[in-house]
Amino acid sequence: MSAFAVDPTVPRASATDIAVALQDPGFGRYFVDHMAQATWSAADGWHDKALLATGPLSLHPAVSGLHYGQQIFEGLKAYRHADDSVWMFRPEKNAARFAHSAARMQMPALPTEDFIESVTKVVQLNLDWVPQAEGEQSLYLRPFMFASEIQIGVKASDYYTYICLGMPVMPFYPQPLTLWVSPTYSRSMAGGTGDAKCGGNYGASMIAEAEAHRNGCTQVLWLDSATRSWVEEGGTMNFLVITESGELVTPDLNGRILAGITRDSLLKLADSHGLRPVERPLAFAELCEGITSGRITEALACGTAAVVSPVVGIKSPEIDLTVGDGTPGAKTLELRAHLTGIQFGTEPDSHDWMRRVG
Ligand SMILES: Cc1ncc(COP(=O)(O)O)c(C=O)c1O
């Protein structure tokens, strides 16, 4: 299988431009010099794999991904350690989830080795763009794929374009979160696309996010669409609670929520913080009762972009609950410090999650 070929003519950002970007990278404000790209066709499979200049695409306006939403994406990060080495966190999990999302959206799987090679090369060719660890900055990688056949008519495309972008970032939600439970909108349903990372899930969620903002909340806490009685996840994060009996409880992977890699990692770290990991349905009534009675002592949300964010409030038209004393929970902060310590190389990587790339 051919490798991603590097275009030697890609212009390089100057050291000054990179230094300016890294002073305040935001999230997706600046992009690294190279992006990976590959094409799939029914006739030739994956081909034209290359590292090209990050820049505009030339697309016919009738490519079907723009009309019918056959599109999937991933998000993972590369971290600089104190000795200047650069590492990715569990990229094989992202490759596997990308393949899962592709299957759900009737798209071709990108082989794991191509996924890993593309993300690795985007980092390796752009090492100067990987921030120092201060402020928990990192290099975010955004692999994505969309249907690129020129076709008006609803049918699976015969052409797909895969791209991986790189960008220096800060954590997405640096402040503790208050989550909004929408009385109206749902994110996913049984048999739907909730456990796929496809753009349509996010497009459909923005109206609820706007509702959350109007009500003074940072993000949405989704309930199940059928009964509105089960807690599912946040807008771009999985949701967990800590109970006074020492459980770390999170909704089970019921096919309607995303199998978060941060979620999986926290469940595996729970033990070393005296917490029992529990994956099971979590009733919204139990969440409210637990917060009110103090049986639930902490709530948190987690994801690659969000890292681990304390949840200090839950609101809906009917309720306005403060979790604990309204400040970030101690166990939440411990878990966060442990996870980011592994990612930035200051804690032992006892689960073998880190992959050196530079
Ligand atoms: C809907 C949703 N849930 C959960 C997550 C967390 O997943 P991960 O920890 O793999 O980033 C994300 C972010 O990717 C997300 O978009």
Side-chain angles (χ1 to χ4, degrees), residues 221 239 241-242 284-299 311-315 319-325:
L221 178 64
F239 181 76
V241 295
I242 296 174
F284 184 52
E286 179 191 348
L287 175 68
C288 296
E289 182 284 320
I291 291 174
T292 310
S293 68
R295 207 182 55 76
I296 287 175
T297 51
E298 301 183 29
V311 174
V312 295
I314 309 270
K315 267 174 125 178
I319 58 154
D320 187 352
L321 300 176
T322 300
V323 183
D325 64 2

Side-chain angles (χ1 to χ4, degrees), residues 193-265:
T193 57
D195 70 346
K197 206 161 163 59
C198 58
N201 286 348
Y202 299 83
S205 74
M206 287 174 195
I207 193 165
E209 191 171 324
E211 195 181 69
H213 292 166
R214 280 198 304 278
N215 285 280
C217 297
T218 340
Q219 255 286 354
V220 177
L221 178 64
W222 295 106
L223 302 185
D224 76 295
S225 60
T227 66
R228 291 192 182 283
S229 54
W230 302 100
V231 175
E232 304 231 285
E233 64 178 324
T236 56
M237 303 166 294
N238 292 110
F239 181 76
L240 308 89
V241 295
I242 296 174
T243 66
E244 67 180 354
S245 64
E247 289 183 337
L248 178 66
V249 182
T250 193
D252 55 317
L253 299 178
N254 54 21
R256 301 187 303 265
I257 68 174
L258 198 73
I261 295 157
T262 320
R263 169 191 181 280
D264 180 75
S265 307

Side-chain angles (χ1 to χ4, degrees), residues 168-182:
V169 299
M170 327 264 288
F172 205 71
Y173 299 111
Q175 302 303 326
L177 306 174
T178 300
L179 300 180
W180 172 251
V181 179
S182 172

